[in-house]
Amino acid sequence: MQPIKCAVIGVGHLGKYHAEKYAASKESELVAVCDTNYTRTQEIANHHHVAAFSDYHALLGLVTAVSIVTPTTSHHTIAKFFLSQGVHVFVEKPMTMTVEEADELINISEKNNLVLQVGHIERFNPAIVACKPLIQNPTYIETQRLSPFNPRCLEVNVVLDLMIHDIDLIKHIVPAKITEIHATGASIITNDIDIANARIQFDNGCIANLNASRVSHVTERNIKIYHQKSYIFADLKDRTLLTFQKNNHEMHDVLNTTHPVENYDALHDELTAFLHAIKTQTKPLISGVDGRTNLSIALAITHHIEKKIKLAEFA
Ligand code: NAD
C-alpha cells in the first residue's frame, strides 16, 4: 500500500515533531506543512524538502490525512473543514473549546467514514503501557501534573491544557461511571485557572484526586494507583514504574518492586496508531468520542472552580 499523504497544520512547539514523525515513517509521506507564521512554516518545510503554506485551505487535494497542532481555539474550524472534504484528522488535545463543537466533528467524521483521533498522548507513554496490566480494581488514584509557567497554550485554562491528560488516563483505568465532581482552583499569573485540584467519584467506589499546575517551579508528572494491599507508582516524566505490595508473611512489611519500562517514542506510536486506523479503516485507539468525554469532564471541573471563584468574590 502507498504511504499516506500527510500534512501538519501548526508547526510550532509540538507540530514540528508531528512533521518529523510523518517524514520519518514508511507508512506516511509528509507532503506539506502549514503555519500562519510563514517564516516558521518555511523553516520546517525546507528542513523536510516539502511544500510550505500559510493557509490550510491550500492543502486540499494534496493530502489524505492531517495533524492539527494549532491553538485550541482554531481546532474546530480547521478539523470541520478537512472532515467535510474527506480528509482524515488527528487533532491535538483538548479536541475543541466546546462539547457542541466536538459533537459536530464526531458526526461529520462518522457520516464521511473518516478517522478522527485526538492527541491524548499519555495513553502511549511507556510507563502507562507497562503499568496497565498491573491494574486490577483501584480504590483510589492520585495524579500530579506540574509545569513551570510557559506563555504557550494560554488560550485554555490549566484543566483543559494539562489536567485533561490525567482525565483521559483515569477514564481509561477505571471502568465505571462518574457520579460526582468536586474541584477547586485559582488564577495566579493569568486571569484564568492556573492551578487546580479535582476529586472525581466513580459509581464503583473509586476516587481519583487530580492536581495540575502551570505555575510550578518543577516539572512533575506521576500517577499513584491504590488497590487493596498494594499500590503502583508510575513516573510519566522519568518513565519509571514501581509497585508496593503488602508482604503476606510479615504484618507491617511492604515489598517494593521496580518494573522494566521500555524506552520508546510515544508520539511515534500515537501517529502510527492514527495511520493504522486509516489503513485498516478501524476506530482509532483514542477516538473523537473519547476526546469529547475528556473535554466534557474538563469543562465540568472548570465550571465547579469558576462557580467557587465567583462566590469567593462576594464573601
Ligand atoms: P505553539 O504556539 O508552539 O504552536 C502553534 C502553532 O500554530 C504556531 O506556530 C502558530 O503560528 C500556528 N497557528 C495558529 N493558528 C493557525 C492557523 N489557523 N493555521 C495554521 N497555523 C496556525 O503551540 P503548541 O504548544 O505546539 O500547541 C499546539 C496544540 O498542541 C495545542 O492544542 C496544545 O494543547 C497541543 N499540545 C499537546 C501536547 C500533548 O502532550 N499532547 C503538548 C503540547 C501542546
Side-chain angles (χ1 to χ4, degrees):
M1 201 175 165
Q2 291 291 310
I4 296 169
K5 290 183 186 301
C6 297
V8 180
I9 302 151
V11 279
H13 168 75
L14 183 60
K16 173 189 168 196
Y17 298 111
H18 278 243
E20 272 177 18
K21 303 303 163 199
Y22 288 132
S25 170
K26 287 198 193 90
E27 316 285 317
S28 56
E29 180 191 350
L30 180 72
V31 294
V33 293
C34 168
D35 199 297
T36 42
N37 177 342
Y38 196 65
T39 313
R40 177 69 176 177
T41 193
Q42 268 200 315
E43 180 197 327
I44 306 293
N46 289 346
H47 179 75
H48 294 293
H49 308 289
V50 298
F53 296 100
S54 51
D55 178 355
Y56 61 84
H57 296 91
L59 293 168
L60 211 58
L62 301 178
V63 292
T64 306
V66 291
S67 269
I68 300 171
V69 201
T70 56
T72 308
T73 40
S74 58
H75 286 181
H76 170 256
T77 308
I78 302 176
K80 185 177 169 183
F81 171 76
F82 283 104
L83 290 171
S84 304
Q85 301 294 331
V87 176
H88 302 282
V89 166
F90 179 103
V91 62
E92 263 308 331
K93 52 51 56 179
M95 181 177 176
T96 50
M97 295 298 284
T98 69
V99 171
E100 291 72 25
E101 289 173 346
D103 281 335
E104 192 181 11
L105 297 186
I106 293 165
N107 287 339
I108 304 172
S109 69
E110 285 174 356
K111 200 177 89 199
N112 292 350
N113 252 328
L114 293 165
V115 174
L116 171 60
Q117 184 170 326
V118 184
H120 288 287
I121 194 170
E122 291 292 36
R123 271 251 225 128
F124 297 87
N125 187 310
I128 288 294
V129 175
C131 116
K132 190 74 206 302
L134 306 173
I135 303 170
Q136 291 152 9
N137 199 8
T139 52
Y140 193 80
I141 301 176
E142 267 184 297
T143 69
Q144 192 86 334
R145 189 170 293 267
L146 315 179
S147 287
F149 183 72
N150 188 322
R152 284 186 296 108
C153 300
L154 296 182
E155 72 279 5
V156 291
N157 67 39
V158 73
V159 180
L160 286 148
D161 185 24
L162 296 184
M163 191 184 276
I164 200 160
H165 284 296
D166 299 311
I167 293 170
D168 180 65
L169 290 181
I170 59 150
K171 279 296 294 165
H172 178 53
I173 289 169
V174 185
K177 280 204 171 121
I178 292 175
T179 52
E180 253 182 84
I181 292 176
H182 293 281
T184 52
S187 94
I188 308 292
I189 292 185
T190 72
N191 291 328
D192 211 334
I193 305 162
D194 293 320
I195 183 163
N197 169 266
R199 186 186 148 94
I200 300 178
Q201 170 93 49
F202 291 87
D203 68 358
N204 67 354
C206 181
I207 289 168
N209 192 15
L210 279 54
N211 284 306
S213 166
R214 59 183 177 192
V215 286
S216 168
H217 64 294
V218 288
T219 303
E220 268 186 44
R221 274 124 180 69
N222 63 58
I223 181 163
K224 298 187 191 92
I225 304 165
Y226 297 84
H227 301 99
Q228 275 232 315
K229 303 195 177 17
S230 71
Y231 87 90
I232 302 168
F233 174 81
D235 189 318
L236 309 184
K237 178 168 72 76
D238 296 341
R239 297 179 169 188
T240 54
L241 180 61
L242 309 172
T243 53
F244 303 83
Q245 182 100 31
K246 183 179 181 307
N247 183 347
N248 288 331
H249 305 292
E250 295 286 337
M251 187 61 181
H252 295 298
D253 194 18
V254 171
L255 302 170
N256 303 352
T257 313
T258 303
H259 298 262
V261 175
E262 279 185 58
N263 192 17
Y264 52 78
D265 181 341
L267 183 59
H268 166 271
D269 284 18
E270 186 182 40
L271 295 179
T272 301
F274 174 53
L275 297 169
H276 178 77
I278 295 170
K279 274 194 175 168
T280 55
Q281 299 186 337
T282 49
K283 190 171 160 270
L285 192 64
I286 298 154
S287 66
V289 174
D290 295 325
R292 183 229 191 254
T293 303
N294 297 334
L295 175 69
S296 67
I297 298 167
L299 290 173
I301 291 170
T302 299
H303 179 70
H304 272 257
I305 297 171
E306 283 175 348
K307 215 167 58 182
K308 284 197 185 129
I309 289 175
K310 282 214 175 79
L311 282 176
E313 280 169 10
F314 293 107

mmCIF file of all heavy atoms in Angstrom, residues 129-161:
data_model
loop_
_atom_site.group_PDB
_atom_site.id
_atom_site.type_symbol
_atom_site.label_atom_id
_atom_site.label_comp_id
_atom_site.label_asym_id
_atom_site.label_seq_id
_atom_site.Cartn_x
_atom_site.Cartn_y
_atom_site.Cartn_z
ATOM 1 N N VAL A 129 1.759 2.187 29.533
ATOM 2 C CA VAL A 129 1.595 0.905 28.831
ATOM 3 C C VAL A 129 2.083 -0.231 29.736
ATOM 4 O O VAL A 129 1.428 -1.268 29.868
ATOM 5 C CB VAL A 129 2.354 0.924 27.482
ATOM 6 C CG1 VAL A 129 2.303 -0.430 26.800
ATOM 7 C CG2 VAL A 129 1.776 2.006 26.567
ATOM 8 N N ALA A 130 3.230 -0.023 30.426
ATOM 9 C CA ALA A 130 3.784 -1.072 31.300
ATOM 10 C C ALA A 130 2.913 -1.268 32.544
ATOM 11 O O ALA A 130 2.822 -2.373 33.086
ATOM 12 C CB ALA A 130 5.209 -0.707 31.708
ATOM 13 N N CYS A 131 2.275 -0.202 32.997
ATOM 14 C CA CYS A 131 1.515 -0.320 34.262
ATOM 15 C C CYS A 131 0.112 -0.881 34.052
ATOM 16 O O CYS A 131 -0.464 -1.479 34.947
ATOM 17 C CB CYS A 131 1.549 1.024 34.985
ATOM 18 S SG CYS A 131 0.086 1.907 35.235
ATOM 19 N N LYS A 132 -0.423 -0.769 32.835
ATOM 20 C CA LYS A 132 -1.818 -1.172 32.588
ATOM 21 C C LYS A 132 -2.112 -2.636 33.007
ATOM 22 O O LYS A 132 -3.101 -2.890 33.704
ATOM 23 C CB LYS A 132 -2.161 -0.921 31.108
ATOM 24 C CG LYS A 132 -3.629 -1.072 30.746
ATOM 25 C CD LYS A 132 -4.484 0.073 31.236
ATOM 26 C CE LYS A 132 -5.944 -0.272 31.461
ATOM 27 N NZ LYS A 132 -6.705 -0.792 30.356
ATOM 28 N N PRO A 133 -1.255 -3.614 32.661
ATOM 29 C CA PRO A 133 -1.567 -4.997 33.054
ATOM 30 C C PRO A 133 -1.535 -5.226 34.576
ATOM 31 O O PRO A 133 -2.057 -6.246 35.059
ATOM 32 C CB PRO A 133 -0.461 -5.833 32.385
ATOM 33 C CG PRO A 133 0.205 -4.933 31.420
ATOM 34 C CD PRO A 133 -0.019 -3.539 31.855
ATOM 35 N N LEU A 134 -0.909 -4.306 35.328
ATOM 36 C CA LEU A 134 -0.809 -4.478 36.783
ATOM 37 C C LEU A 134 -2.044 -3.924 37.508
ATOM 38 O O LEU A 134 -2.242 -4.152 38.696
ATOM 39 C CB LEU A 134 0.429 -3.748 37.322
ATOM 40 C CG LEU A 134 1.770 -4.103 36.661
ATOM 41 C CD1 LEU A 134 2.865 -3.178 37.183
ATOM 42 C CD2 LEU A 134 2.122 -5.551 36.939
ATOM 43 N N ILE A 135 -2.874 -3.183 36.775
ATOM 44 C CA ILE A 135 -4.031 -2.535 37.411
ATOM 45 C C ILE A 135 -5.186 -3.524 37.490
ATOM 46 O O ILE A 135 -5.526 -4.178 36.500
ATOM 47 C CB ILE A 135 -4.466 -1.276 36.611
ATOM 48 C CG1 ILE A 135 -3.302 -0.302 36.481
ATOM 49 C CG2 ILE A 135 -5.666 -0.601 37.265
ATOM 50 C CD1 ILE A 135 -3.554 0.841 35.520
ATOM 51 N N GLN A 136 -5.775 -3.618 38.712
ATOM 52 C CA GLN A 136 -6.923 -4.530 38.855
ATOM 53 C C GLN A 136 -8.198 -3.728 39.070
ATOM 54 O O GLN A 136 -8.873 -3.355 38.135
ATOM 55 C CB GLN A 136 -6.667 -5.502 39.990
ATOM 56 C CG GLN A 136 -5.568 -6.486 39.641
ATOM 57 C CD GLN A 136 -4.829 -6.975 40.840
ATOM 58 O OE1 GLN A 136 -5.207 -6.732 41.984
ATOM 59 N NE2 GLN A 136 -3.737 -7.675 40.598
ATOM 60 N N ASN A 137 -8.449 -3.432 40.344
ATOM 61 C CA ASN A 137 -9.686 -2.726 40.651
ATOM 62 C C ASN A 137 -9.328 -1.587 41.603
ATOM 63 O O ASN A 137 -9.517 -1.707 42.815
ATOM 64 C CB ASN A 137 -10.639 -3.735 41.295
ATOM 65 C CG ASN A 137 -12.059 -3.261 41.233
ATOM 66 O OD1 ASN A 137 -12.348 -2.251 40.582
ATOM 67 N ND2 ASN A 137 -12.945 -3.938 41.946
ATOM 68 N N PRO A 138 -8.833 -0.476 41.099
ATOM 69 C CA PRO A 138 -8.305 0.555 42.001
ATOM 70 C C PRO A 138 -9.377 1.134 42.916
ATOM 71 O O PRO A 138 -10.527 1.285 42.512
ATOM 72 C CB PRO A 138 -7.805 1.640 41.054
ATOM 73 C CG PRO A 138 -7.905 1.113 39.693
ATOM 74 C CD PRO A 138 -8.778 -0.071 39.690
ATOM 75 N N THR A 139 -8.939 1.452 44.139
ATOM 76 C CA THR A 139 -9.871 2.089 45.077
ATOM 77 C C THR A 139 -9.618 3.602 45.129
ATOM 78 O O THR A 139 -10.515 4.374 45.453
ATOM 79 C CB THR A 139 -9.694 1.512 46.491
ATOM 80 O OG1 THR A 139 -8.312 1.587 46.818
ATOM 81 C CG2 THR A 139 -10.151 0.061 46.555
ATOM 82 N N TYR A 140 -8.371 3.994 44.822
ATOM 83 C CA TYR A 140 -8.008 5.411 44.928
ATOM 84 C C TYR A 140 -6.893 5.693 43.919
ATOM 85 O O TYR A 140 -5.990 4.872 43.744
ATOM 86 C CB TYR A 140 -7.524 5.690 46.363
ATOM 87 C CG TYR A 140 -7.401 7.150 46.704
ATOM 88 C CD1 TYR A 140 -8.526 7.892 47.047
ATOM 89 C CD2 TYR A 140 -6.162 7.785 46.705
ATOM 90 C CE1 TYR A 140 -8.413 9.252 47.355
ATOM 91 C CE2 TYR A 140 -6.048 9.134 47.026
ATOM 92 C CZ TYR A 140 -7.174 9.855 47.345
ATOM 93 O OH TYR A 140 -7.070 11.190 47.656
ATOM 94 N N ILE A 141 -6.986 6.843 43.264
ATOM 95 C CA ILE A 141 -5.944 7.228 42.292
ATOM 96 C C ILE A 141 -5.558 8.676 42.558
ATOM 97 O O ILE A 141 -6.428 9.521 42.815
ATOM 98 C CB ILE A 141 -6.462 7.111 40.834
ATOM 99 C CG1 ILE A 141 -6.916 5.674 40.552
ATOM 100 C CG2 ILE A 141 -5.394 7.532 39.829
ATOM 101 C CD1 ILE A 141 -7.539 5.487 39.180
ATOM 102 N N GLU A 142 -4.264 8.944 42.508
ATOM 103 C CA GLU A 142 -3.789 10.328 42.661
ATOM 104 C C GLU A 142 -2.937 10.668 41.444
ATOM 105 O O GLU A 142 -2.081 9.856 41.053
ATOM 106 C CB GLU A 142 -2.854 10.411 43.871
ATOM 107 C CG GLU A 142 -3.513 10.790 45.164
ATOM 108 C CD GLU A 142 -2.436 10.926 46.229
ATOM 109 O OE1 GLU A 142 -1.771 9.917 46.535
ATOM 110 O OE2 GLU A 142 -2.242 12.031 46.720
ATOM 111 N N THR A 143 -3.158 11.850 40.875
ATOM 112 C CA THR A 143 -2.276 12.267 39.772
ATOM 113 C C THR A 143 -1.697 13.637 40.064
ATOM 114 O O THR A 143 -2.338 14.470 40.715
ATOM 115 C CB THR A 143 -3.029 12.334 38.412
ATOM 116 O OG1 THR A 143 -3.951 13.413 38.445
ATOM 117 C CG2 THR A 143 -3.729 11.052 38.064
ATOM 118 N N GLN A 144 -0.508 13.846 39.569
ATOM 119 C CA GLN A 144 0.216 15.092 39.798
ATOM 120 C C GLN A 144 0.799 15.523 38.461
ATOM 121 O O GLN A 144 1.554 14.764 37.843
ATOM 122 C CB GLN A 144 1.354 14.772 40.787
ATOM 123 C CG GLN A 144 2.042 15.943 41.363
ATOM 124 C CD GLN A 144 1.312 16.458 42.602
ATOM 125 O OE1 GLN A 144 0.111 16.268 42.755
ATOM 126 N NE2 GLN A 144 2.046 17.095 43.479
ATOM 127 N N ARG A 145 0.415 16.702 37.983
ATOM 128 C CA ARG A 145 0.952 17.186 36.704
ATOM 129 C C ARG A 145 1.294 18.665 36.881
ATOM 130 O O ARG A 145 0.434 19.542 36.843
ATOM 131 C CB ARG A 145 -0.084 16.979 35.593
ATOM 132 C CG ARG A 145 0.435 17.250 34.193
ATOM 133 C CD ARG A 145 -0.570 16.785 33.163
ATOM 134 N NE ARG A 145 -0.706 15.350 33.165
ATOM 135 C CZ ARG A 145 -0.028 14.519 32.386
ATOM 136 N NH1 ARG A 145 0.814 14.977 31.492
ATOM 137 N NH2 ARG A 145 -0.200 13.216 32.472
ATOM 138 N N LEU A 146 2.556 18.951 37.123
ATOM 139 C CA LEU A 146 3.006 20.305 37.430
ATOM 140 C C LEU A 146 4.005 20.755 36.366
ATOM 141 O O LEU A 146 4.895 19.990 35.990
ATOM 142 C CB LEU A 146 3.706 20.353 38.785
ATOM 143 C CG LEU A 146 3.048 19.627 39.966
ATOM 144 C CD1 LEU A 146 3.914 19.783 41.216
ATOM 145 C CD2 LEU A 146 1.648 20.156 40.218
ATOM 146 N N SER A 147 3.850 21.996 35.920
ATOM 147 C CA SER A 147 4.784 22.557 34.933
ATOM 148 C C SER A 147 5.141 23.983 35.306
ATOM 149 O O SER A 147 4.282 24.711 35.823
ATOM 150 C CB SER A 147 4.136 22.625 33.553
ATOM 151 O OG SER A 147 4.024 21.363 33.008
ATOM 152 N N PRO A 148 6.351 24.408 35.009
ATOM 153 C CA PRO A 148 6.676 25.835 35.159
ATOM 154 C C PRO A 148 5.824 26.661 34.195
ATOM 155 O O PRO A 148 5.359 26.143 33.180
ATOM 156 C CB PRO A 148 8.153 25.915 34.790
ATOM 157 C CG PRO A 148 8.660 24.524 34.901
ATOM 158 C CD PRO A 148 7.517 23.622 34.590
ATOM 159 N N PHE A 149 5.652 27.934 34.486
ATOM 160 C CA PHE A 149 4.825 28.795 33.638
ATOM 161 C C PHE A 149 5.441 28.906 32.245
ATOM 162 O O PHE A 149 6.650 29.037 32.093
ATOM 163 C CB PHE A 149 4.687 30.192 34.254
ATOM 164 C CG PHE A 149 3.783 31.073 33.450
ATOM 165 C CD1 PHE A 149 2.421 30.844 33.446
ATOM 166 C CD2 PHE A 149 4.293 32.102 32.671
ATOM 167 C CE1 PHE A 149 1.571 31.633 32.676
ATOM 168 C CE2 PHE A 149 3.450 32.890 31.905
ATOM 169 C CZ PHE A 149 2.085 32.657 31.912
ATOM 170 N N ASN A 150 4.563 28.823 31.232
ATOM 171 C CA ASN A 150 5.004 28.897 29.844
ATOM 172 C C ASN A 150 3.953 29.688 29.075
ATOM 173 O O ASN A 150 2.762 29.389 29.201
ATOM 174 C CB ASN A 150 5.089 27.467 29.292
ATOM 175 C CG ASN A 150 5.715 27.417 27.921
ATOM 176 O OD1 ASN A 150 5.487 28.287 27.089
ATOM 177 N ND2 ASN A 150 6.507 26.396 27.681
ATOM 178 N N PRO A 151 4.332 30.695 28.315
ATOM 179 C CA PRO A 151 3.308 31.518 27.650
ATOM 180 C C PRO A 151 2.559 30.814 26.520
ATOM 181 O O PRO A 151 1.641 31.374 25.951
ATOM 182 C CB PRO A 151 4.113 32.714 27.120
ATOM 183 C CG PRO A 151 5.525 32.280 27.116
ATOM 184 C CD PRO A 151 5.694 31.197 28.118
ATOM 185 N N ARG A 152 2.920 29.577 26.158
ATOM 186 C CA ARG A 152 2.169 28.848 25.123
ATOM 187 C C ARG A 152 0.875 28.280 25.708
ATOM 188 O O ARG A 152 0.794 28.013 26.896
ATOM 189 C CB ARG A 152 3.009 27.691 24.570
ATOM 190 C CG ARG A 152 4.096 28.130 23.615
ATOM 191 C CD ARG A 152 4.788 26.933 22.985
ATOM 192 N NE ARG A 152 5.492 26.139 23.973
ATOM 193 C CZ ARG A 152 5.116 24.954 24.393
ATOM 194 N NH1 ARG A 152 4.035 24.375 23.931
ATOM 195 N NH2 ARG A 152 5.810 24.313 25.304
ATOM 196 N N CYS A 153 -0.113 28.050 24.887
ATOM 197 C CA CYS A 153 -1.367 27.356 25.239
ATOM 198 C C CYS A 153 -2.192 28.094 26.289
ATOM 199 O O CYS A 153 -2.989 27.479 26.995
ATOM 200 C CB CYS A 153 -1.098 25.928 25.718
ATOM 201 S SG CYS A 153 -0.293 24.905 24.495
ATOM 202 N N LEU A 154 -2.024 29.414 26.410
ATOM 203 C CA LEU A 154 -2.788 30.155 27.421
ATOM 204 C C LEU A 154 -4.218 30.453 26.972
ATOM 205 O O LEU A 154 -4.981 31.060 27.718
ATOM 206 C CB LEU A 154 -2.064 31.457 27.792
ATOM 207 C CG LEU A 154 -0.704 31.274 28.467
ATOM 208 C CD1 LEU A 154 -0.114 32.631 28.840
ATOM 209 C CD2 LEU A 154 -0.785 30.379 29.698
ATOM 210 N N GLU A 155 -4.578 29.991 25.773
ATOM 211 C CA GLU A 155 -5.964 30.214 25.316
ATOM 212 C C GLU A 155 -6.938 29.338 26.103
ATOM 213 O O GLU A 155 -8.149 29.543 26.040
ATOM 214 C CB GLU A 155 -6.098 29.991 23.804
ATOM 215 C CG GLU A 155 -6.015 28.551 23.309
ATOM 216 C CD GLU A 155 -4.594 28.002 23.162
ATOM 217 O OE1 GLU A 155 -3.630 28.697 23.523
ATOM 218 O OE2 GLU A 155 -4.458 26.857 22.695
ATOM 219 N N VAL A 156 -6.405 28.336 26.811
ATOM 220 C CA VAL A 156 -7.269 27.499 27.661
ATOM 221 C C VAL A 156 -6.702 27.488 29.080
ATOM 222 O O VAL A 156 -5.534 27.815 29.295
ATOM 223 C CB VAL A 156 -7.372 26.040 27.131
ATOM 224 C CG1 VAL A 156 -8.141 25.983 25.833
ATOM 225 C CG2 VAL A 156 -5.999 25.389 26.992
ATOM 226 N N ASN A 157 -7.535 27.090 30.056
ATOM 227 C CA ASN A 157 -7.064 27.045 31.447
ATOM 228 C C ASN A 157 -6.244 25.766 31.701
ATOM 229 O O ASN A 157 -6.147 24.894 30.821
ATOM 230 C CB ASN A 157 -8.244 27.190 32.414
ATOM 231 C CG ASN A 157 -9.175 25.998 32.369
ATOM 232 O OD1 ASN A 157 -8.741 24.855 32.258
ATOM 233 N ND2 ASN A 157 -10.474 26.240 32.454
ATOM 234 N N VAL A 158 -5.713 25.633 32.901
ATOM 235 C CA VAL A 158 -4.829 24.503 33.202
ATOM 236 C C VAL A 158 -5.571 23.159 33.192
ATOM 237 O O VAL A 158 -4.982 22.109 32.945
ATOM 238 C CB VAL A 158 -4.085 24.734 34.548
ATOM 239 C CG1 VAL A 158 -5.029 24.569 35.744
ATOM 240 C CG2 VAL A 158 -2.886 23.812 34.673
ATOM 241 N N VAL A 159 -6.875 23.207 33.436
ATOM 242 C CA VAL A 159 -7.657 21.956 33.418
ATOM 243 C C VAL A 159 -7.716 21.422 31.987
ATOM 244 O O VAL A 159 -7.491 20.230 31.737
ATOM 245 C CB VAL A 159 -9.085 22.197 33.969
ATOM 246 C CG1 VAL A 159 -9.891 20.912 33.953
ATOM 247 C CG2 VAL A 159 -9.035 22.801 35.363
ATOM 248 N N LEU A 160 -7.995 22.320 31.040
ATOM 249 C CA LEU A 160 -8.097 21.910 29.632
ATOM 250 C C LEU A 160 -6.724 21.664 29.010
ATOM 251 O O LEU A 160 -6.579 20.885 28.080
ATOM 252 C CB LEU A 160 -8.830 22.991 28.834
ATOM 253 C CG LEU A 160 -10.326 23.013 29.118
ATOM 254 C CD1 LEU A 160 -10.886 24.407 29.004
ATOM 255 C CD2 LEU A 160 -11.058 22.081 28.185
ATOM 256 N N ASP A 161 -5.717 22.342 29.540
ATOM 257 C CA ASP A 161 -4.385 22.177 28.951
ATOM 258 C C ASP A 161 -3.649 20.965 29.536
ATOM 259 O O ASP A 161 -3.171 20.108 28.792
ATOM 260 C CB ASP A 161 -3.562 23.462 29.176
ATOM 261 C CG ASP A 161 -2.213 23.393 28.475
ATOM 262 O OD1 ASP A 161 -2.097 22.634 27.489
ATOM 263 O OD2 ASP A 161 -1.276 24.070 28.917
#
